[in-house]
């Protein structure tokens, strides 16, 4: 082969290589485009342990209602990944110098699922109904007045300034969803008859005791800022969401393994290792709140603070949590009443009162209280296994101290009925959900079982609310939590309890956060397996 022919041969090889690469790249691009198209038509089948009580979020703090409804409804203000309040349907918020007037400028062009544009009249109707129906709004914002200024401006007037006002409006228990005015008017004093919001998914169907079906809302007008908790960009990357009621833990696990479900909202702790070690799944933990021993402070033995201090000093929280959950991977451990991820309110104040395991101190306090072997009724239930396991360990620890503890166990409904009756029990196992702000921590409320009716706690909560700055409010919260742990002792906290969730490894973009946010399913896509 002469030099000219060699040059032609080399050029031909290069040309073929270029053509080959080009075809390969075009093919890959076509495959990628095909995959994206296929993924946008995908559906997610989610197993949940029960069905929601309703999807009328103004009327209930039910966790499953919230977990489904956050895909349908949006609020003026929402929570970012640090659990801080930020605008959502409000484009901006202005607060007056005296802190009593808030002006919300609404985003324009936001569409409801029924095709109507959201305007101030819808926000006014929604917020007024929320004020009337939500127990949180009734307790904290009964004196608030909403009014419209124009089609895209709503004003909130308070009698007194509140440091936590925006936190309350961003709250996810009984959350203030914005709905069309006519749907609210049609509901009257009843539940809303149509579930229409502005979220990335719209309600399609609810087959009782089987599933709730939501579908992508193609006209959703999302915020283009980066996704951040419940704020920012929310894009429906799948076509349908099906939330299937699946109460039996074994059925849930089998359904996940066979592909009947793509996501499971609550894996039984007994199945944790099995799912964790399966390469077909990704496993997530999200803390919903804390596990506690609550004292009946309204009447009986534990209306005496020294009795509460004695039990709190005696209990070994490390042994209690490990005994109930078997693995340190399955629980959190700490003294803060607020989730550590709630950056504005996390506190370590009073931690010297946590997990003391000090029997000598406990015996001295029992003597000072004049305890003489009277029977103590410990109330618990078997429906939530770790409630029962914790109760058994608490009973054993206190009996070893010389206390006479009688454990009474019921099903969940009977347990709740008796828990509400101060004549029935002395101490009770209780889970307490994490709030986004201290003022809504139910265990510090005088009307919640345990009946924390204390002048200093009430006064400090009021000072927190009326503080001029977050730093001032945080100082008061530190003081309150320190006082609660070391002096008043409304309850004894053992640790944080997770919900274990699992998803197929083909699912990407899943955002899992602690309560009160949990697992929003926008920005989540399904890859080909």
């Amino acid at each position: 082969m002469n030099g000219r022919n060699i040059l032609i041969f080399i050029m031909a090889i290069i040309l073929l290589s270029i053509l080959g690469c080009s075809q390969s790249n075009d093919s890959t691009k076509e495959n990628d485009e095909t995959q994206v198209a296929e993924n946008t038509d995908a559906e997610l089948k989610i197993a949940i342990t029960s069905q929601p009580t309703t999807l009328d979020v103004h009327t209930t703090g039910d966790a499953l209602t919230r977990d489904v409804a956050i895909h349908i409804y949006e609020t003026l203000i929402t929570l970012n990944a640090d659990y801080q309040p930020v605008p959502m349907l409000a484009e901006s918020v202005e607060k007056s110098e005296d802190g009593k007037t808030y002006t919300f400028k609404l985003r324009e062009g936001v569409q409801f699922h029924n095709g109507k544009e959201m305007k101030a009249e819808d926000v006014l109707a929604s917020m007024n109904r929320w004020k009337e129906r939500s127990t949180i709004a009734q307790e904290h914002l009964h004196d608030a007045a909403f009014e419209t200024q124009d089609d895209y401006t709503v004003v909130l007037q308070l009698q007194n300034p509140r440091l936590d006002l925006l936190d309350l409006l961003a709250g996810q228990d009984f959350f203030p969803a914005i709905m069309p005015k006519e749907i609210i008017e049609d509901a009257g004093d009843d539940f809303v008859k149509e579930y229409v919001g502005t979220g990335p998914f719209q309600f399609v169907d609810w087959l009782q005791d089987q599933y709730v079906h939501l579908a992508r809302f193609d006209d959703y007008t999302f915020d283009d800022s980066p996704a951040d908790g419940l704020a920012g960009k929310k894009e429906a990357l799948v076509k349908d969401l099906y939330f299937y009621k699946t109460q039996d833990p074994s059925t849930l696990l089998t359904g996940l393994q066979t592909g009947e479900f793509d996501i499971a909202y609550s894996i039984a702790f007994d199945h944790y290792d099995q799912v964790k070690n399966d390469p077909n799944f990704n496993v997530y933990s999200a803390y919903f709140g804390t596990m506690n021993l609550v004292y009946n402070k309204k009447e009986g033995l534990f209306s005496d603070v020294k009795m509460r201090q004695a039990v709190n000093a005696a209990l070994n929280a490390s042994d209690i949590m490990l005994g109930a959950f078997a693995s340190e991977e399955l629980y959190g451990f700490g003294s803060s009443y607020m989730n550590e991820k709630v950056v504005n309110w996390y506190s370590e104040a009073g931690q010297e009162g946590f997990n003391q395991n000090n029997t000598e101190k406990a015996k001295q306090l029992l003597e000072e209280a004049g305890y003489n072997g009277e029977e103590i009724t410990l109330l618990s239930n078997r429906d939530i296994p770790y409630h029962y396991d914790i109760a058994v360990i608490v009973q054993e620890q206190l009996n070893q101290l010389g206390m006479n503890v009688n454990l009474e166990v019921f099903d969940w409904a009977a347990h709740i009925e008796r828990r509400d009756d101060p004549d029935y029990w002395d101490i009770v196992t209780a889970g307490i959900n994490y709030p986004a702000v201290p003022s809504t921590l139910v265990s510090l409320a005088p009307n919640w079982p345990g009946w924390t009716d204390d002048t200093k706690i009430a006064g400090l909560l009021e000072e927190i609310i009326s503080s001029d700055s977050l730093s001032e409010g945080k100082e008061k919260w530190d003081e309150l939590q320190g006082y609660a742990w070391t002096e008043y002792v409304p309850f004894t906290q053992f640790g944080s309890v997770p919900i274990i969730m699992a998803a197929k490894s083909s699912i990407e973009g899943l955002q899992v956060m602690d309560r009160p946010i949990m697992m929003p399913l926008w920005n989540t896509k399904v890859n080909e397996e």
Side-chain angles (χ1 to χ4, degrees), residues 47-49 246 248-257 261 264 266-267:
I48 55 179
T49 55
T246 316
D248 180 67
S250 297
T251 302
L252 187 151
L253 177 63
T254 301
L256 192 63
Q257 292 171 329
F261 306 126
S266 185
I267 296 289

Side-chain angles (χ1 to χ4, degrees), residues 299-317:
E299 53 190 68
L301 289 169
F302 289 91
S303 59
D304 184 340
V305 66
K306 288 192 179 295
M307 287 291 292
R308 304 197 297 271
Q309 291 174 346
V311 170
N312 185 64
L315 292 174
N316 184 333

Side-chain angles (χ1 to χ4, degrees), residues 118-165:
M118 179 199 72
K119 292 191 176 179
E121 63 176 9
D122 304 297
V123 174
L124 179 65
S126 298
M127 299 309 292
N128 282 338
R129 182 175 188 265
W130 174 70
K131 265 184 55 187
E132 295 170 1
R133 303 300 296 273
S134 161
T135 57
I136 289 176
Q138 290 168 10
E139 180 177 355
H140 297 284
L141 293 175
H142 57 276
D143 62 349
F146 290 90
E147 60 184 32
T148 59
Q149 196 172 83
D150 56 46
D151 279 351
Y152 299 103
T153 309
V154 174
V155 177
L156 169 61
Q157 188 70 46
L158 301 174
Q159 294 293 324
N160 298 292
R162 292 190 66 109
L163 179 67
D164 62 353
L165 185 278

Side-chain angles (χ1 to χ4, degrees), residues 88-91 105-110 118 152 221-223:
M88 180 185 273
L89 290 177
E91 185 175 84
K105 183 66 177 176
L106 305 181
R107 289 167 50 202
E108 297 187 22
V110 174
M118 179 199 72
Y152 299 103
T221 50
F222 56 77
D223 183 346

Side-chain angles (χ1 to χ4, degrees), residues 72-291:
I72 303 172
Y73 300 113
E74 296 179 309
T75 49
L76 286 174
I77 306 295
T78 195
L79 297 172
N80 67 14
D82 290 325
Y83 302 85
Q84 298 168 322
V86 293
M88 180 185 273
L89 290 177
E91 185 175 84
S92 63
V93 184
E94 292 183 7
K95 182 173 73 170
S96 62
E97 288 189 12
D98 64 5
K100 296 181 181 180
T101 305
Y102 286 77
T103 302
F104 300 90
K105 183 66 177 176
L106 305 181
R107 289 167 50 202
E108 297 187 22
V110 174
Q111 299 293 311
F112 283 114
H113 300 151
N114 61 4
K116 172 188 173 182
E117 183 186 6
M118 179 199 72
K119 292 191 176 179
E121 63 176 9
D122 304 297
V123 174
L124 179 65
S126 298
M127 299 309 292
N128 282 338
R129 182 175 188 265
W130 174 70
K131 265 184 55 187
E132 295 170 1
R133 303 300 296 273
S134 161
T135 57
I136 289 176
Q138 290 168 10
E139 180 177 355
H140 297 284
L141 293 175
H142 57 276
D143 62 349
F146 290 90
E147 60 184 32
T148 59
Q149 196 172 83
D150 56 46
D151 279 351
Y152 299 103
T153 309
V154 174
V155 177
L156 169 61
Q157 188 70 46
L158 301 174
Q159 294 293 324
N160 298 292
R162 292 190 66 109
L163 179 67
D164 62 353
L165 185 278
L166 295 181
D167 296 273
L168 293 174
L169 296 184
Q172 295 299 297
D173 290 321
F174 296 87
F175 73 86
I178 305 303
M179 309 175 187
K181 175 186 176 183
E182 58 273 17
I183 287 178
I184 290 173
E185 291 175 343
D186 185 52
D189 295 330
D190 204 350
F191 293 107
V192 293
K193 300 176 179 63
E194 297 178 74
Y195 305 126
V196 177
T198 59
F201 292 91
Q202 59 185 330
F203 176 80
V204 177
D205 188 26
W206 185 349
L207 196 56
Q208 287 291 329
D209 291 321
Q210 293 191 43
Y211 63 76
V212 178
H213 176 200
L214 311 182
R216 178 173 57 230
F217 179 45
D218 289 328
D219 293 325
Y220 179 65
T221 50
F222 56 77
D223 183 346
D224 232 353
S225 60
D228 185 12
L230 294 179
K233 186 174 183 178
K234 297 195 291 186
E235 189 173 6
L237 299 177
V238 297
K239 185 178 180 181
D240 296 283
L241 303 177
Y242 287 90
F243 295 86
Y244 286 92
K245 176 184 175 182
T246 316
Q247 286 181 299
D248 180 67
S250 297
T251 302
L252 187 151
L253 177 63
T254 301
L256 192 63
Q257 292 171 329
T258 60
E260 181 181 354
F261 306 126
D262 302 298
I263 297 172
Y265 254 45
S266 185
I267 296 289
F269 294 131
D270 290 345
H271 297 151
Y272 172 70
D273 286 336
Q274 187 175 351
V275 177
K276 178 188 173 185
N277 295 324
D278 190 327
N280 295 308
F281 305 109
N282 292 320
V283 178
Y284 309 85
S285 292
Y287 291 116
F288 75 84
T290 57
M291 196 61 205

